[in-house]
Amino acid sequence: MTATPQAKTTARSMSTLEFWSRGAARGAASRYPTGWWRFFRISAPALFLASALTVATLPQAAWGQKPIDKNAPATFSADTMSQDKAKGIITASGHVEVNQDQRTLLADKIVYDQKNDLLSAKGHIILREPSGEVVFAKDMKISGDLKNGIVHNLRIVMKDKSRFAARTATLRENRFTKLGRAVYTACNACKKDPSRPPLWQVKAMEIFHDKKAQSVEYKDAWVEFAGVPIAYTPYLSHPDPSVKRRSGLLPPRFGGTTDLGATVETPYFYAISPSSDVTLRPIFTSKEGPVLAGDYRQRFRKGEINLDASLTKDSKKITHGHVIGMGRFDIDNTWRWGADLQRTTQDTYMRRYGLGTQNTLTSKIFAEGFRGRNYFSAKSYLFQSLRANDKPGSIPLVAPMLDYSHVSEPSRYGAYNTLDLSMVALTRSKSTDDQRFSFRSGWHLPYTAPKGDIYDLSATVQGDLYHVNGLKRTDGSTFTGYKARLHPQLAFDWRYPFVRQENRDIYQLIEPITSFVVAPYGGNPSSIPNEDSLDVEFDTTNLFSHDRFAGYDRVEGGPRVNYGIKWGVYGSSGGSTSVLFGQSYRLKADSTFAAGTGLNDRFSDYVGRVHIQPGHLVDLLYRTRIDKKTHAISRNEVRISAGTPAFNISSNYIYFPKQADSEYNGRKELSLNIKSQLSRYWRGSVSGVRDLQTGGGMRSTSLSLAYEDECFVFKTDVQRTYYQDREIQPSDAFVFEIVFKTLGSVRANTTR
């Protein structure tokens, strides 16, 4: 098993420290010979360090502690101090306290035997570490060379509140630590009855810590849950927390599906180097062949690589596999490059084996640069569709795609220029090939009048040059050749926000908004392909846009005006309600917009948005599009979230019909999610998605219940998906997971 990352600890002896006394120690110093006090100045830090070093070798106590600063001074105080010169024994007793480098040692008594070179501390020993750990013990003895020692009745409280306890702890050769009859838990003690066993704990007859090998071994270990033993192992080992990464087996995962049968995943982690590792995840199935899956990761000073892949041969002796990879690299402060690789051998393979749910796999390679007010990117794309109705020959290879953007510094009057350049080439095996070069240049002048009204004047021109091969036009003919286009545009935006204070806590806003755009008619001949502007969604987000097409291939022509009004009420405590409603008008209808977009006539459909958020307990968003003739609802979207952590409900309803010439079907869908923090430790949720179209039905349902406290997590989920694609049928899934915090987890899932 791999250990969780922990900071490394170095335990080392200290050189002689300058030592000051305080409190009663000052008086004691004056009553003893000068020679003795000089000796005590040397040995007292050793007493303190011996305690610290002994604890540092115990499991978890100093794994992650920072080393003591050997040059830091220490202070010492005690009620009384004495010296037996004949026996060579120095004793400090009564509220003994040693402080050094934010580390504090408390004890009832500290004794140093000079003849036997033995240090000891007794009674209510408490060591507080600067990293947050606290160590308790009854008595402790350690040799003067700090290599051998023993501690009785040891207890350690870690910074994360986890605990160790042992009857005895023995240090040998400053390397090996042995804990006898030891217990470990991350659970807090019961406040009502501290004598009750914690929720879970690990008991072992012996625990060995090899500081040099950085390993911890348990012998005769039991895992107890609520005081009841549930698992036993004669031997268990793992790296100590000072080890950030180490090769080893990870907890297995169990599951099953109707298609694959019972499944077992047994991952193995291998640390290749400090900056790279691989996790092999063999998956064994009862109905199909085994799957060899794995992840590879590597970090560089200026980049990273992540790779996920699998390979299998099914019961029909057909080989399947997939690869999902990503790399990102910084060249300098301006440039970076990267690549994504996503491929699979079969459309349904990843979904069948639980390796992914994508409908399209996108591979790309890119480079981009950012400098000042400039941006440049070069990209290439390769797509793999996993949907049944997609034709592979119609999916393009995009290589290259070049984009450049520049925004100038504002002039003394606030005007600025913009320039966008774009070049792209699309190649298909069984359909149209085309290449495009475009530029879009603009001049913009924003202005805010003294009374608060806001103006924006802009003039832009777009130029395009296309070369197409085998383009099918609307009249049924095929076009091959070059086509150029030049499209100028002039726009003027105006808005005037009126604000009124209703009272000292409420403000009301009314803001009329208008946008005038002038451009030549047309501009979209049938000899220009449409690759990047296939679908248009008209709503409040683009109501005042100068061009509602997302890409370069289609332009919005003709004189037009967009108008609307915004109203809002805002409270000083954060609550608000806002409404936006508007429409667009053009002098002539534009056939470029397909039927159903709401923009194909002179007057567009009405679009509106209502956002109500009276406080943090309720959030309601409603967006709609209303037919300008029949006033029927053309599009509806409602999103609501309300409630407290004790009971919270969120829902989303969406409706829009299929647009003409669109590859996307319409949707009428309702989703609902109810979640509750049932108590301090228990939480649950219920969710579902239903297709409200004729002949639709449920898309998915799920029920989850979880318990979580400071040391333990229990999760269970029941899911039903109604997705169906070729051999993939609707399924039921049951997921069960138990997490022992700081130790590990057990997970099982079954799908039928």
Side-chain angles (χ1 to χ4, degrees):
M1 296 175 61
T2 56
T4 55
Q6 296 283 343
K8 294 185 178 180
T9 299
T10 302
R12 59 187 181 186
S13 60
M14 297 170 55
S15 61
T16 302
L17 304 178
E18 187 64 28
F19 212 70
W20 293 275
S21 63
R22 68 183 184 204
R26 293 192 180 96
S30 64
R31 296 194 296 269
Y32 291 96
T34 304
W36 179 89
W37 183 243
R38 185 180 299 114
F39 173 79
F40 188 76
R41 291 173 62 191
I42 298 175
S43 60
L47 285 170
F48 169 73
L49 182 59
S51 304
L53 182 57
T54 302
V55 175
T57 61
L58 299 178
Q60 297 282 344
W63 303 340
Q65 296 176 4
K66 68 175 185 178
I68 304 172
D69 182 2
K70 68 179 182 178
N71 296 315
T75 60
F76 178 88
S77 67
D79 292 342
T80 62
M81 287 185 288
S82 64
Q83 180 185 23
D84 188 334
K85 294 183 178 180
K87 296 182 179 180
I89 295 177
I90 303 171
T91 303
S93 60
H95 302 92
V96 182
E97 180 176 341
V98 183
N99 294 278
Q100 192 223 5
D101 193 26
Q102 301 181 8
R103 183 170 292 176
T104 301
L105 173 66
L106 305 175
D108 292 342
K109 188 176 183 180
I110 292 180
V111 178
Y112 177 56
D113 186 343
Q114 294 175 274
K115 293 183 178 181
N116 297 315
D117 196 20
L118 182 65
L119 303 167
S120 64
K122 297 182 180 180
H124 302 94
I125 300 171
I126 302 176
L127 175 63
R128 294 190 178 96
E129 294 290 343
S131 54
E133 291 85 359
V134 182
V135 181
F136 304 87
K138 285 292 184 67
D139 62 81
M140 174 179 60
K141 293 182 180 180
I142 190 168
S143 61
D145 60 4
L146 310 178
K147 292 185 177 181
N148 300 281
I150 186 169
V151 181
H152 294 284
N153 296 321
L154 173 73
R155 290 178 296 144
I156 305 171
V157 180
M158 305 298 294
K159 184 178 181 180
D160 62 1
K161 305 305 180 184
S162 60
R163 296 166 172 81
F164 269 93
R167 292 284 184 89
T168 60
T170 305
L171 169 66
R172 291 189 298 108
E173 300 176 4
N174 196 24
R175 171 180 174 180
F176 302 101
T177 303
K178 173 184 175 183
L179 275 69
R181 301 181 67 86
V183 178
Y184 171 74
T185 184
C187 303
N188 294 332
C190 178
K191 293 183 179 180
K192 296 182 179 179
D193 184 7
S195 63
R196 289 179 55 185
L199 185 61
W200 65 262
Q201 60 184 348
V202 180
K203 290 183 176 180
M205 293 301 295
E206 293 179 347
I207 299 178
F208 292 92
H209 175 216
D210 186 336
K211 187 166 56 175
K212 184 176 181 181
Q214 296 178 299
S215 64
V216 181
E217 299 178 354
Y218 298 78
K219 289 189 177 181
D220 292 329
W222 284 92
V223 178
E224 291 187 358
F225 190 85
V228 178
I230 60 173
Y232 167 79
T233 177
Y235 177 81
L236 174 67
S237 69
H238 61 78
D240 69 34
S242 65
V243 178
K244 295 182 178 180
R245 301 158 60 251
R246 178 173 291 179
S247 304
L249 289 170
L250 300 176
R253 292 187 174 186
F254 305 93
T257 66
T258 303
D259 188 18
L260 304 178
T263 63
V264 178
E265 181 179 327
T266 56
Y268 179 84
F269 175 82
Y270 178 65
I272 302 173
S273 71
S275 61
S276 62
D277 57 57
V278 62
T279 303
L280 300 177
R281 299 183 290 109
I283 304 172
F284 302 94
T285 68
S286 62
K287 292 186 177 181
E288 296 289 348
V291 182
L292 179 59
D295 307 314
Y296 172 77
R297 305 180 304 170
Q298 184 164 2
R299 299 294 182 267
F300 305 92
R301 188 171 62 90
K302 292 185 177 181
E304 63 176 314
I305 293 176
N306 293 317
L307 187 64
D308 175 23
S310 69
L311 185 67
T312 186
K313 182 176 290 188
D314 62 17
S315 56
K316 298 179 181 179
K317 306 302 180 182
I318 300 176
T319 300
H320 300 291
H322 90 288
V323 58
I324 303 291
M326 179 273 288
R328 298 290 184 270
F329 302 93
D330 295 331
I331 300 173
D332 52 32
N333 293 333
T334 299
W335 295 95
R336 70 175 183 177
W337 73 279
D340 292 341
L341 177 62
Q342 299 183 1
R343 304 296 289 180
T344 184
T345 58
Q346 187 190 33
D347 289 355
T348 59
Y349 165 71
M350 295 175 62
R351 191 180 291 271
R352 283 180 60 207
Y353 284 82
L355 301 171
T357 60
Q358 300 95 317
N359 288 324
T360 301
L361 299 181
T362 304
S363 301
K364 72 175 180 179
I365 183 170
F366 72 93
E368 59 184 354
F370 307 81
R371 176 173 292 176
R373 306 171 74 87
N374 301 276
Y375 170 76
F376 173 81
S377 69
K379 304 175 182 178
S380 293
Y381 291 89
L382 177 64
F383 303 97
Q384 181 182 7
S385 175
L386 306 183
R387 293 178 291 191
N389 55 352
D390 284 343
K391 298 178 181 180
S394 63
I395 299 175
L397 166 65
V398 182
M401 175 184 286
L402 306 177
D403 292 285
Y404 170 77
S405 296
H406 168 75
V407 179
S408 71
E409 294 284 352
S411 68
R412 59 180 299 185
Y413 300 106
Y416 63 93
N417 301 316
T418 60
L419 175 64
D420 297 294
L421 303 177
S422 175
M423 185 177 73
V424 64
L426 284 76
T427 305
R428 296 178 174 89
S429 60
K430 297 181 180 180
S431 188
T432 304
D433 298 337
D434 61 85
Q435 299 84 41
R436 170 183 57 80
F437 173 77
S438 302
F439 75 89
R440 185 182 292 160
S441 180
W443 175 84
H444 307 266
L445 177 62
Y447 175 71
T448 301
K451 292 186 177 181
D453 42 332
I454 302 171
Y455 303 86
D456 194 311
L457 178 65
S458 64
T460 61
V461 59
Q462 176 178 328
D464 307 282
L465 177 63
Y466 287 84
H467 177 266
V468 296
N469 182 21
L471 174 65
K472 293 183 178 180
R473 297 193 282 195
T474 54
D475 60 2
S477 62
T478 300
F479 174 74
T480 297
Y482 290 91
K483 182 65 178 179
R485 173 178 61 191
L486 192 66
H487 183 77
Q489 182 174 268
L490 182 66
F492 178 75
D493 299 331
W494 172 86
R495 60 176 60 204
Y496 199 161
F498 297 90
V499 180
R500 183 175 68 179
Q501 185 175 1
E502 299 292 338
N503 54 51
R504 61 180 300 178
D505 296 323
I506 299 177
Y507 298 84
Q508 184 178 178
L509 169 71
I510 297 178
E511 184 179 18
I513 308 172
T514 304
S515 175
F516 300 91
V517 183
V518 179
Y521 289 106
N524 298 295
S526 59
S527 52
I528 291 182
N530 186 6
E531 302 283 3
D532 59 12
S533 304
L534 292 172
D535 288 280
V536 177
E537 181 180 338
F538 179 49
D539 56 22
T540 54
T541 61
N542 59 7
L543 170 62
F544 302 103
S545 297
H546 300 164
D547 192 333
R548 297 184 178 90
F549 290 103
Y552 287 90
D553 292 340
R554 289 293 179 266
V555 295
E556 189 172 356
R560 55 197 180 275
V561 56
N562 311 310
Y563 47 88
I565 188 168
K566 182 179 180 181
W567 172 83
V569 177
Y570 305 89
S572 59
S573 60
S576 65
T577 297
S578 63
V579 178
L580 176 62
F581 190 79
Q583 189 184 33
S584 180
Y585 169 77
R586 64 183 64 250
L587 295 180
K588 293 183 179 180
D590 191 345
S591 60
T592 305
F593 294 100
T597 60
L599 292 165
N600 51 308
D601 292 331
R602 294 174 61 189
F603 282 96
S604 73
D605 287 349
Y606 302 103
V607 291
R609 182 192 70 217
V610 179
H611 189 196
I612 302 174
Q613 193 176 21
H616 67 280
L617 299 180
V618 177
D619 190 344
L620 171 65
L621 176 65
Y622 174 67
R623 297 196 301 177
T624 187
R625 195 175 83 226
I626 304 173
D627 188 276
K628 71 277 186 182
K629 295 180 180 178
T630 65
H631 298 151
I633 300 297
S634 301
R635 181 187 178 93
N636 257 346
E637 182 180 354
V638 183
R639 187 192 69 199
I640 184 172
S641 176
T644 64
F647 183 83
N648 182 274
I649 181 172
S650 59
S651 181
N652 188 59
Y653 168 80
I654 186 169
Y655 162 71
F656 62 88
K658 178 179 174 60
Q659 298 179 9
D661 301 328
S662 174
E663 62 177 345
Y664 299 105
N665 294 323
R667 179 177 295 184
K668 191 175 184 182
E669 183 179 278
L670 175 66
S671 63
L672 178 68
N673 181 46
I674 300 174
K675 58 183 179 181
S676 173
Q677 188 70 40
L678 303 171
S679 66
R680 180 180 178 183
Y681 301 117
W682 288 93
R683 64 180 183 270
S685 67
V686 179
S687 63
V689 179
R690 183 174 182 83
D691 185 358
L692 301 179
Q693 301 273 26
T694 303
M698 295 300 298
R699 290 182 178 271
S700 65
T701 55
S702 68
L703 172 66
S704 67
L705 183 66
Y707 170 90
E708 181 173 3
D709 59 22
E710 77 282 353
C711 66
F712 180 75
V713 179
F714 163 79
K715 295 180 182 179
T716 180
D717 294 281
V718 180
Q719 304 170 354
R720 170 71 173 174
T721 58
Y722 299 83
Y723 179 85
Q724 186 171 356
D725 183 13
R726 286 156 284 187
E727 67 266 32
I728 299 177
Q729 300 297 319
S731 61
D732 297 308
F734 174 75
V735 181
F736 177 83
E737 184 175 16
I738 294 177
V739 180
F740 295 92
K741 291 184 179 179
T742 72
L743 283 185
S745 64
V746 178
R747 178 184 174 93
N749 64 281
T750 302
T751 304
R752 296 187 179 278

